[in-house]
Amino acid sequence: MRIAFDVHGGDRAPNAVIEGVLQAAKDYPEITFVLIGTEEALVSSVLSNVEMIKVTETITAEDEPVKAIRRKKDSSLVVGCRLVREKSVDAFVCAGNTGALVAAGLFVTGRMKGMDRPALAPIFPSMKGGGTLVLDVGANPEAKPEHLRQYAVMGSIYAEQVMGIERPRIGLLNIGTEDGKGTSLTKETFDLLSNESSIHFIGNVEARDVLDGTCDVLVTDGFSGNILLKNTEGVAKAIFSKLKEEFTRSIRTKVAAGILAPGLKRFKESMDYKEHGGAPLLGLAGPIIKAHGSSDARAFYQAAMQAKKIVEQNVIEQIQQGLVKTKGR
């Protein structure tokens, strides 16, 4: 197995990427880890299962996605997607420019048969443990009912094979749980999912219930999904910031904080994106994982484990077969 990493992706690159990969390489000597970056960013490694691929260009957050992948063909991001297409590596992890990664995934790696548009699918934390796979959260702001049906099929297979959930519950993001709620998009999608025999569709799910673990897979268009993602991140940030402020207000609250510290730590860890690795770009011809922009070494390590499981479970091929089967029906 060969897993590639974009050394230049993310706010803490290249150090966090390299640190996380080297730890994964030590723990899994049977896997070859490929670091893609410029000569000045790459470091020598004594580990026999770590390879280096040198490139001359990088894509930054400021670059316009489509133009960047066309003009910077020797960038770490584009080279990584090309290696997946050529099957020189089994998976690629990148924490860089999301738009550029989606564009490179589409135009360089390519879509799988039967898939109209790929979906960015992170795992939202659940108060009951585990998490909820949400797709799409921004790969495609606009979607048609058929796209959301495809997301549901992909999400169901991924949740079963990678997350280990038997007969995952599929929900549709909406403004109410009643049948017939929402826009023309959600109404038509509701009918499609209700008649899709390959999934376990449980109906509409409101945004306030997502973190309760109401469903295992939540389907939505990229515009609504991105708003849900950003709002969830913002609320979590505000809560932890306010807790810190309150617990450092006086001697009494500091003592209370010390008593509650173990529980607060467990709560924070349960809400931490770093424990889930990254968001797979489902619907592409090969495994590509978008890691969070602020990922640290731990997050990149977890992304490596996520990629490992996707490859081991042959998830891409299973999704491919599922899409072709349902579209044919």
Side-chain angles (χ1 to χ4, degrees), residues 106-141:
L106 276 170
F107 300 124
V108 179
T109 305
R111 294 173 297 179
M112 60 176 60
K113 294 179 181 178
M115 183 65 203
D116 294 325
R117 296 181 182 181
L120 193 59
I123 296 176
F124 278 47
S126 170
M127 301 304 291
K128 297 178 181 178
T132 299
L133 185 74
V134 181
L135 63 170
D136 176 28
V137 298
N140 296 285

mmCIF file of all heavy atoms in Angstrom, residues 106-141:
data_model
loop_
_atom_site.group_PDB
_atom_site.id
_atom_site.type_symbol
_atom_site.label_atom_id
_atom_site.label_comp_id
_atom_site.label_asym_id
_atom_site.label_seq_id
_atom_site.Cartn_x
_atom_site.Cartn_y
_atom_site.Cartn_z
ATOM 1 N N LEU A 106 -11.458 16.363 -9.972
ATOM 2 C CA LEU A 106 -12.348 16.212 -11.127
ATOM 3 C C LEU A 106 -11.584 16.102 -12.438
ATOM 4 O O LEU A 106 -11.810 15.196 -13.234
ATOM 5 C CB LEU A 106 -13.306 17.399 -11.204
ATOM 6 C CG LEU A 106 -14.578 17.339 -10.354
ATOM 7 C CD1 LEU A 106 -15.285 18.682 -10.370
ATOM 8 C CD2 LEU A 106 -15.513 16.250 -10.870
ATOM 9 N N PHE A 107 -10.660 17.051 -12.670
ATOM 10 C CA PHE A 107 -10.009 17.152 -13.972
ATOM 11 C C PHE A 107 -8.725 16.332 -14.103
ATOM 12 O O PHE A 107 -8.312 16.030 -15.223
ATOM 13 C CB PHE A 107 -9.705 18.626 -14.274
ATOM 14 C CG PHE A 107 -10.927 19.496 -14.313
ATOM 15 C CD1 PHE A 107 -11.032 20.621 -13.507
ATOM 16 C CD2 PHE A 107 -11.991 19.185 -15.143
ATOM 17 C CE1 PHE A 107 -12.166 21.417 -13.529
ATOM 18 C CE2 PHE A 107 -13.133 19.978 -15.175
ATOM 19 C CZ PHE A 107 -13.221 21.100 -14.372
ATOM 20 N N VAL A 108 -8.111 15.990 -12.989
ATOM 21 C CA VAL A 108 -6.862 15.221 -13.048
ATOM 22 C C VAL A 108 -7.099 13.758 -12.670
ATOM 23 O O VAL A 108 -6.762 12.848 -13.424
ATOM 24 C CB VAL A 108 -5.786 15.837 -12.122
ATOM 25 C CG1 VAL A 108 -4.502 15.017 -12.184
ATOM 26 C CG2 VAL A 108 -5.501 17.280 -12.534
ATOM 27 N N THR A 109 -7.698 13.525 -11.506
ATOM 28 C CA THR A 109 -7.969 12.146 -11.089
ATOM 29 C C THR A 109 -9.165 11.570 -11.849
ATOM 30 O O THR A 109 -9.139 10.440 -12.326
ATOM 31 C CB THR A 109 -8.251 12.063 -9.578
ATOM 32 O OG1 THR A 109 -7.155 12.642 -8.867
ATOM 33 C CG2 THR A 109 -8.437 10.631 -9.137
ATOM 34 N N GLY A 110 -10.219 12.359 -11.974
ATOM 35 C CA GLY A 110 -11.404 11.931 -12.710
ATOM 36 C C GLY A 110 -12.484 11.339 -11.820
ATOM 37 O O GLY A 110 -12.220 10.883 -10.715
ATOM 38 N N ARG A 111 -13.717 11.363 -12.308
ATOM 39 C CA ARG A 111 -14.858 10.807 -11.583
ATOM 40 C C ARG A 111 -14.997 9.323 -11.840
ATOM 41 O O ARG A 111 -14.543 8.815 -12.866
ATOM 42 C CB ARG A 111 -16.149 11.498 -12.022
ATOM 43 C CG ARG A 111 -16.255 12.963 -11.668
ATOM 44 C CD ARG A 111 -17.488 13.573 -12.285
ATOM 45 N NE ARG A 111 -17.427 13.536 -13.754
ATOM 46 C CZ ARG A 111 -18.388 13.997 -14.552
ATOM 47 N NH1 ARG A 111 -19.482 14.500 -14.031
ATOM 48 N NH2 ARG A 111 -18.261 13.941 -15.858
ATOM 49 N N MET A 112 -15.652 8.631 -10.919
ATOM 50 C CA MET A 112 -15.985 7.236 -11.162
ATOM 51 C C MET A 112 -17.219 7.153 -12.055
ATOM 52 O O MET A 112 -18.003 8.115 -12.140
ATOM 53 C CB MET A 112 -16.210 6.490 -9.849
ATOM 54 C CG MET A 112 -17.328 7.044 -8.982
ATOM 55 S SD MET A 112 -17.633 6.051 -7.499
ATOM 56 C CE MET A 112 -16.056 6.118 -6.664
ATOM 57 N N LYS A 113 -17.396 6.038 -12.717
ATOM 58 C CA LYS A 113 -18.544 5.859 -13.608
ATOM 59 C C LYS A 113 -19.850 5.920 -12.823
ATOM 60 O O LYS A 113 -19.941 5.374 -11.730
ATOM 61 C CB LYS A 113 -18.429 4.512 -14.316
ATOM 62 C CG LYS A 113 -17.256 4.410 -15.277
ATOM 63 C CD LYS A 113 -17.210 3.037 -15.920
ATOM 64 C CE LYS A 113 -16.014 2.925 -16.868
ATOM 65 N NZ LYS A 113 -15.928 1.569 -17.475
ATOM 66 N N GLY A 114 -20.827 6.587 -13.399
ATOM 67 C CA GLY A 114 -22.135 6.687 -12.754
ATOM 68 C C GLY A 114 -22.242 7.821 -11.761
ATOM 69 O O GLY A 114 -23.292 8.016 -11.147
ATOM 70 N N MET A 115 -21.152 8.592 -11.606
ATOM 71 C CA MET A 115 -21.142 9.696 -10.643
ATOM 72 C C MET A 115 -21.146 11.017 -11.386
ATOM 73 O O MET A 115 -20.291 11.254 -12.230
ATOM 74 C CB MET A 115 -19.901 9.592 -9.748
ATOM 75 C CG MET A 115 -19.842 10.656 -8.670
ATOM 76 S SD MET A 115 -21.201 10.440 -7.512
ATOM 77 C CE MET A 115 -21.326 12.090 -6.844
ATOM 78 N N ASP A 116 -22.114 11.878 -11.094
ATOM 79 C CA ASP A 116 -22.191 13.171 -11.768
ATOM 80 C C ASP A 116 -21.276 14.203 -11.123
ATOM 81 O O ASP A 116 -20.573 14.941 -11.807
ATOM 82 C CB ASP A 116 -23.637 13.688 -11.747
ATOM 83 C CG ASP A 116 -24.561 12.812 -12.567
ATOM 84 O OD1 ASP A 116 -24.103 12.286 -13.594
ATOM 85 O OD2 ASP A 116 -25.729 12.641 -12.173
ATOM 86 N N ARG A 117 -21.291 14.248 -9.787
ATOM 87 C CA ARG A 117 -20.456 15.215 -9.069
ATOM 88 C C ARG A 117 -19.924 14.590 -7.779
ATOM 89 O O ARG A 117 -20.660 13.862 -7.106
ATOM 90 C CB ARG A 117 -21.272 16.463 -8.702
ATOM 91 C CG ARG A 117 -21.762 17.257 -9.895
ATOM 92 C CD ARG A 117 -22.532 18.482 -9.429
ATOM 93 N NE ARG A 117 -23.065 19.244 -10.544
ATOM 94 C CZ ARG A 117 -23.757 20.369 -10.410
ATOM 95 N NH1 ARG A 117 -24.023 20.826 -9.190
ATOM 96 N NH2 ARG A 117 -24.192 21.019 -11.466
ATOM 97 N N PRO A 118 -18.672 14.895 -7.424
ATOM 98 C CA PRO A 118 -18.138 14.352 -6.166
ATOM 99 C C PRO A 118 -18.680 15.130 -4.972
ATOM 100 O O PRO A 118 -19.258 16.212 -5.134
ATOM 101 C CB PRO A 118 -16.628 14.570 -6.315
ATOM 102 C CG PRO A 118 -16.528 15.796 -7.179
ATOM 103 C CD PRO A 118 -17.675 15.680 -8.160
ATOM 104 N N ALA A 119 -18.509 14.585 -3.789
ATOM 105 C CA ALA A 119 -18.984 15.237 -2.570
ATOM 106 C C ALA A 119 -17.884 15.226 -1.513
ATOM 107 O O ALA A 119 -17.175 14.238 -1.346
ATOM 108 C CB ALA A 119 -20.218 14.525 -2.033
ATOM 109 N N LEU A 120 -17.762 16.332 -0.811
ATOM 110 C CA LEU A 120 -16.828 16.434 0.306
ATOM 111 C C LEU A 120 -17.566 15.971 1.551
ATOM 112 O O LEU A 120 -18.614 16.518 1.897
ATOM 113 C CB LEU A 120 -16.356 17.882 0.460
ATOM 114 C CG LEU A 120 -15.158 18.148 1.371
ATOM 115 C CD1 LEU A 120 -13.929 17.386 0.897
ATOM 116 C CD2 LEU A 120 -14.863 19.650 1.408
ATOM 117 N N ALA A 121 -17.023 14.944 2.231
ATOM 118 C CA ALA A 121 -17.808 14.267 3.275
ATOM 119 C C ALA A 121 -17.050 14.142 4.605
ATOM 120 O O ALA A 121 -16.466 13.094 4.895
ATOM 121 C CB ALA A 121 -18.217 12.888 2.777
ATOM 122 N N PRO A 122 -17.074 15.179 5.444
ATOM 123 C CA PRO A 122 -16.460 15.082 6.772
ATOM 124 C C PRO A 122 -17.350 14.321 7.749
ATOM 125 O O PRO A 122 -18.533 14.096 7.475
ATOM 126 C CB PRO A 122 -16.322 16.543 7.195
ATOM 127 C CG PRO A 122 -17.516 17.193 6.568
ATOM 128 C CD PRO A 122 -17.677 16.497 5.223
ATOM 129 N N ILE A 123 -16.783 13.924 8.867
ATOM 130 C CA ILE A 123 -17.548 13.269 9.925
ATOM 131 C C ILE A 123 -17.805 14.282 11.034
ATOM 132 O O ILE A 123 -16.868 14.825 11.615
ATOM 133 C CB ILE A 123 -16.798 12.052 10.486
ATOM 134 C CG1 ILE A 123 -16.634 10.994 9.397
ATOM 135 C CG2 ILE A 123 -17.553 11.461 11.679
ATOM 136 C CD1 ILE A 123 -15.827 9.790 9.831
ATOM 137 N N PHE A 124 -19.080 14.561 11.294
ATOM 138 C CA PHE A 124 -19.446 15.454 12.389
ATOM 139 C C PHE A 124 -19.465 14.651 13.689
ATOM 140 O O PHE A 124 -19.937 13.510 13.705
ATOM 141 C CB PHE A 124 -20.836 16.046 12.151
ATOM 142 C CG PHE A 124 -20.862 17.231 11.222
ATOM 143 C CD1 PHE A 124 -20.190 17.205 10.014
ATOM 144 C CD2 PHE A 124 -21.569 18.376 11.556
ATOM 145 C CE1 PHE A 124 -20.219 18.280 9.153
ATOM 146 C CE2 PHE A 124 -21.614 19.465 10.704
ATOM 147 C CZ PHE A 124 -20.933 19.418 9.499
ATOM 148 N N PRO A 125 -18.991 15.216 14.786
ATOM 149 C CA PRO A 125 -19.014 14.496 16.068
ATOM 150 C C PRO A 125 -20.441 14.279 16.536
ATOM 151 O O PRO A 125 -21.351 15.041 16.195
ATOM 152 C CB PRO A 125 -18.266 15.435 17.010
ATOM 153 C CG PRO A 125 -18.426 16.789 16.405
ATOM 154 C CD PRO A 125 -18.414 16.564 14.922
ATOM 155 N N SER A 126 -20.648 13.218 17.288
ATOM 156 C CA SER A 126 -21.966 12.903 17.828
ATOM 157 C C SER A 126 -21.900 12.845 19.341
ATOM 158 O O SER A 126 -20.928 12.341 19.904
ATOM 159 C CB SER A 126 -22.462 11.558 17.290
ATOM 160 O OG SER A 126 -23.622 11.136 17.968
ATOM 161 N N MET A 127 -22.910 13.375 20.006
ATOM 162 C CA MET A 127 -22.960 13.347 21.459
ATOM 163 C C MET A 127 -23.083 11.919 21.990
ATOM 164 O O MET A 127 -22.809 11.653 23.151
ATOM 165 C CB MET A 127 -24.132 14.186 21.962
ATOM 166 C CG MET A 127 -24.084 15.650 21.525
ATOM 167 S SD MET A 127 -22.560 16.489 21.985
ATOM 168 C CE MET A 127 -22.769 16.564 23.757
ATOM 169 N N LYS A 128 -23.480 10.996 21.117
ATOM 170 C CA LYS A 128 -23.629 9.600 21.516
ATOM 171 C C LYS A 128 -22.384 8.781 21.209
ATOM 172 O O LYS A 128 -22.358 7.581 21.402
ATOM 173 C CB LYS A 128 -24.837 8.989 20.809
ATOM 174 C CG LYS A 128 -26.169 9.654 21.173
ATOM 175 C CD LYS A 128 -27.317 9.027 20.403
ATOM 176 C CE LYS A 128 -28.633 9.708 20.755
ATOM 177 N NZ LYS A 128 -29.774 9.147 19.984
ATOM 178 N N GLY A 129 -21.338 9.451 20.711
ATOM 179 C CA GLY A 129 -20.133 8.748 20.316
ATOM 180 C C GLY A 129 -20.146 8.461 18.827
ATOM 181 O O GLY A 129 -21.192 8.493 18.182
ATOM 182 N N GLY A 130 -18.972 8.169 18.276
ATOM 183 C CA GLY A 130 -18.914 7.937 16.836
ATOM 184 C C GLY A 130 -19.069 9.248 16.086
ATOM 185 O O GLY A 130 -18.497 10.264 16.468
ATOM 186 N N GLY A 131 -19.864 9.256 15.045
ATOM 187 C CA GLY A 131 -20.055 10.492 14.293
ATOM 188 C C GLY A 131 -21.052 10.314 13.172
ATOM 189 O O GLY A 131 -21.564 9.218 12.917
ATOM 190 N N THR A 132 -21.346 11.430 12.488
ATOM 191 C CA THR A 132 -22.278 11.436 11.365
ATOM 192 C C THR A 132 -21.549 11.903 10.120
ATOM 193 O O THR A 132 -20.935 12.973 10.115
ATOM 194 C CB THR A 132 -23.466 12.380 11.641
ATOM 195 O OG1 THR A 132 -24.175 11.927 12.790
ATOM 196 C CG2 THR A 132 -24.412 12.423 10.446
ATOM 197 N N LEU A 133 -21.589 11.113 9.075
ATOM 198 C CA LEU A 133 -20.979 11.480 7.807
ATOM 199 C C LEU A 133 -21.920 12.454 7.099
ATOM 200 O O LEU A 133 -23.091 12.138 6.885
ATOM 201 C CB LEU A 133 -20.764 10.229 6.952
ATOM 202 C CG LEU A 133 -20.009 10.432 5.634
ATOM 203 C CD1 LEU A 133 -18.524 10.654 5.901
ATOM 204 C CD2 LEU A 133 -20.204 9.223 4.718
ATOM 205 N N VAL A 134 -21.410 13.633 6.758
ATOM 206 C CA VAL A 134 -22.237 14.657 6.107
ATOM 207 C C VAL A 134 -21.695 14.920 4.704
ATOM 208 O O VAL A 134 -20.513 15.214 4.539
ATOM 209 C CB VAL A 134 -22.248 15.969 6.916
ATOM 210 C CG1 VAL A 134 -23.140 17.009 6.223
ATOM 211 C CG2 VAL A 134 -22.746 15.717 8.336
ATOM 212 N N LEU A 135 -22.536 14.807 3.701
ATOM 213 C CA LEU A 135 -22.116 15.083 2.333
ATOM 214 C C LEU A 135 -23.295 15.676 1.549
ATOM 215 O O LEU A 135 -24.407 15.216 1.689
ATOM 216 C CB LEU A 135 -21.598 13.823 1.642
ATOM 217 C CG LEU A 135 -22.478 12.601 1.387
ATOM 218 C CD1 LEU A 135 -21.722 11.650 0.484
ATOM 219 C CD2 LEU A 135 -22.887 11.867 2.645
ATOM 220 N N ASP A 136 -23.026 16.797 0.927
ATOM 221 C CA ASP A 136 -21.782 17.461 0.616
ATOM 222 C C ASP A 136 -21.642 18.707 1.498
ATOM 223 O O ASP A 136 -22.638 19.305 1.866
ATOM 224 C CB ASP A 136 -21.822 17.839 -0.856
ATOM 225 C CG ASP A 136 -20.668 18.619 -1.385
ATOM 226 O OD1 ASP A 136 -19.555 18.494 -0.860
ATOM 227 O OD2 ASP A 136 -20.873 19.393 -2.338
ATOM 228 N N VAL A 137 -20.403 19.141 1.793
ATOM 229 C CA VAL A 137 -20.215 20.354 2.589
ATOM 230 C C VAL A 137 -19.479 21.443 1.814
ATOM 231 O O VAL A 137 -18.903 22.339 2.412
ATOM 232 C CB VAL A 137 -19.471 20.061 3.914
ATOM 233 C CG1 VAL A 137 -20.258 19.110 4.781
ATOM 234 C CG2 VAL A 137 -18.058 19.549 3.655
ATOM 235 N N GLY A 138 -19.508 21.366 0.487
ATOM 236 C CA GLY A 138 -18.915 22.460 -0.254
ATOM 237 C C GLY A 138 -18.249 22.130 -1.572
ATOM 238 O O GLY A 138 -17.813 23.039 -2.276
ATOM 239 N N ALA A 139 -18.173 20.870 -1.942
ATOM 240 C CA ALA A 139 -17.556 20.542 -3.225
ATOM 241 C C ALA A 139 -18.390 21.104 -4.373
ATOM 242 O O ALA A 139 -17.858 21.574 -5.382
ATOM 243 C CB ALA A 139 -17.402 19.026 -3.371
ATOM 244 N N ASN A 140 -19.734 21.070 -4.200
ATOM 245 C CA ASN A 140 -20.654 21.592 -5.217
ATOM 246 C C ASN A 140 -21.781 22.360 -4.538
ATOM 247 O O ASN A 140 -22.672 21.748 -3.944
ATOM 248 C CB ASN A 140 -21.249 20.441 -6.033
ATOM 249 C CG ASN A 140 -20.200 19.689 -6.820
ATOM 250 O OD1 ASN A 140 -19.711 20.164 -7.834
ATOM 251 N ND2 ASN A 140 -19.834 18.512 -6.327
ATOM 252 N N PRO A 141 -21.750 23.686 -4.578
ATOM 253 C CA PRO A 141 -22.775 24.501 -3.912
ATOM 254 C C PRO A 141 -24.193 24.209 -4.386
ATOM 255 O O PRO A 141 -25.131 24.263 -3.605
ATOM 256 C CB PRO A 141 -22.359 25.941 -4.256
ATOM 257 C CG PRO A 141 -20.895 25.850 -4.521
ATOM 258 C CD PRO A 141 -20.690 24.524 -5.188
#
